[in-house]
Amino acid sequence: MASSCLLLACVVAAAMVSAVSCGPPKVPPGPNITAAYGKQWLEARGTWYGKPKGAGPNDNGGACGYKDVDKAPFLGMNSCGNDPIFKDGKGCGSCFEVKCSKPEACSDKPVIIHITDMNTEPIAAYHFDLSGHAFGAMAKEGKDEELRKAGIIDMQFRRVRCKYPGETKVTFHVEKGSNPNYFAVLVKYVGGDGDVVKVELKEKGSEEWKPLNESWGAIWRIDTPKPLKGPFSLRVTTESDQKLVANDVIPNNWKADALYKSEIQVD
């Protein structure tokens, strides 16, 4: 009996060791991708999620807090980034050229994608989990479905400056639950670096720029015992320290869950 128990224990232990050793090894993330632009291509792994020709998340949102990423100006050309790309939300909105040369369905021609979401799968130092639409865009004409069937691919990427159509301006969405003592705002459609590292608020008639704290994704917030009085100006700083000021962009009669479009954009 003892012998059978010992044999059983050995079988279970062997199975556990086998299970642990199965599957791809975990790969630590690479160094953060910064706003240093160049011609060099870096290696990454690519996957896709959501509907085959969709924009990624079922709700067309993601961990950056953006909505309607299936519509202009993103048009579904979106991706999750792992830690050194997403950067705990500070990579939201950044733009990358991506391409692949293998498998055969790859076109080896770059397409531009926006970071709108995050992933944590440790399959590579750099990992893009693209929308089905963006993943298919790397394929030769008519080969997008074939490329998506490949699942995981090796790909190349480099960071590029974001360029939006002339009518697209930096836009602010005042988040649900905002009130005079709690103000949260989502910042999107920033050209150039694309991402935001600092947001400040100035009340009408004041000279003080009050810093907002990063809440999550591309959402910034401020809590204050003294009620804020509109209109507000907002100052946005990008990763390369470019500052954009949207004067009185949030009106006196602002409302929560409302969108306010500025007149500013990176040239």
Side-chain angles (χ1 to χ4, degrees):
M1 185 72 175
S3 176
S4 340
C5 289
L6 181 58
L7 178 61
L8 179 59
C10 289
V11 170
V12 171
M16 290 175 65
V17 170
S18 175
V20 169
S21 63
C22 286
K26 292 184 177 181
V27 180
N32 280 3
I33 299 299
T34 65
Y37 304 97
K39 295 182 178 180
Q40 182 183 3
W41 291 93
L42 300 175
E43 295 294 321
R45 304 298 305 276
T47 53
W48 65 277
Y49 73 121
K51 296 178 181 178
K53 295 189 178 182
N58 291 331
D59 65 352
N60 294 314
C64 288
Y66 304 139
K67 300 297 181 187
D68 300 326
V69 295
D70 56 325
K71 297 181 174 62
F74 294 143
L75 295 173
M77 293 297 289
N78 318 311
S79 181
C80 299
N82 68 337
D83 288 347
I85 298 167
F86 183 77
K87 296 184 288 191
D88 199 25
K90 286 190 171 69
C92 288
S94 54
C95 297
F96 292 84
E97 279 188 325
V98 296
K99 65 177 182 176
C100 64
S101 56
K102 295 178 182 179
E104 192 275 334
C106 288
S107 71
D108 202 27
K109 295 179 181 178
V111 296
I112 294 177
I113 55 97
H114 305 85
I115 298 302
T116 59
D117 207 347
M118 67 172 290
N119 69 66
T120 55
E121 292 296 324
I123 66 170
Y126 300 110
H127 174 202
F128 290 86
D129 194 17
L130 296 105
S131 68
H133 174 59
F135 194 89
M138 294 189 292
K140 295 174 182 174
E141 187 174 356
K143 297 278 188 178
D144 55 313
E145 185 175 350
E146 181 181 335
L147 181 59
R148 281 190 288 268
K149 287 180 179 177
I152 302 177
I153 63 170
D154 291 321
M155 56 179 283
Q156 296 76 46
F157 75 98
R158 61 186 178 190
R159 186 163 174 184
V160 295
R161 290 178 175 83
C162 299
K163 296 180 180 179
Y164 290 109
E167 69 275 10
T168 302
K169 305 299 183 183
V170 178
T171 301
F172 303 93
H173 182 266
V174 178
E175 296 295 291
K176 291 180 180 179
S178 292
N179 59 64
N181 297 99
Y182 164 78
F183 182 80
V185 64
L186 169 75
V187 186
K188 58 183 179 178
Y189 311 150
V190 178
D193 293 336
D195 50 13
V196 173
V197 299
K198 188 177 182 181
V199 178
E200 299 162 286
L201 177 152
K202 185 170 73 169
E203 297 171 87
K204 189 73 172 181
S206 171
E207 295 301 317
E208 179 189 6
W209 284 101
K210 298 178 180 180
L212 276 66
N213 297 312
E214 189 177 16
S215 183
W216 60 274
I219 298 173
W220 298 75
R221 62 178 283 174
I222 184 170
D223 299 90
T224 171
K226 182 181 178 182
L228 297 168
K229 294 181 180 179
F232 308 142
S233 296
L234 293 173
R235 182 164 67 187
V236 172
T237 304
T238 70
E239 189 174 352
S240 59
D241 203 35
Q242 184 165 15
K243 291 177 170 55
L244 303 169
V245 178
N247 289 311
D248 298 338
V249 67
I250 309 298
N252 183 52
N253 59 343
W254 64 270
K255 297 179 181 179
D257 196 21
L259 199 66
Y260 298 99
K261 181 179 177 181
S262 76
E263 296 300 320
I264 60 172
Q265 187 53 277
V266 176
D267 295 332

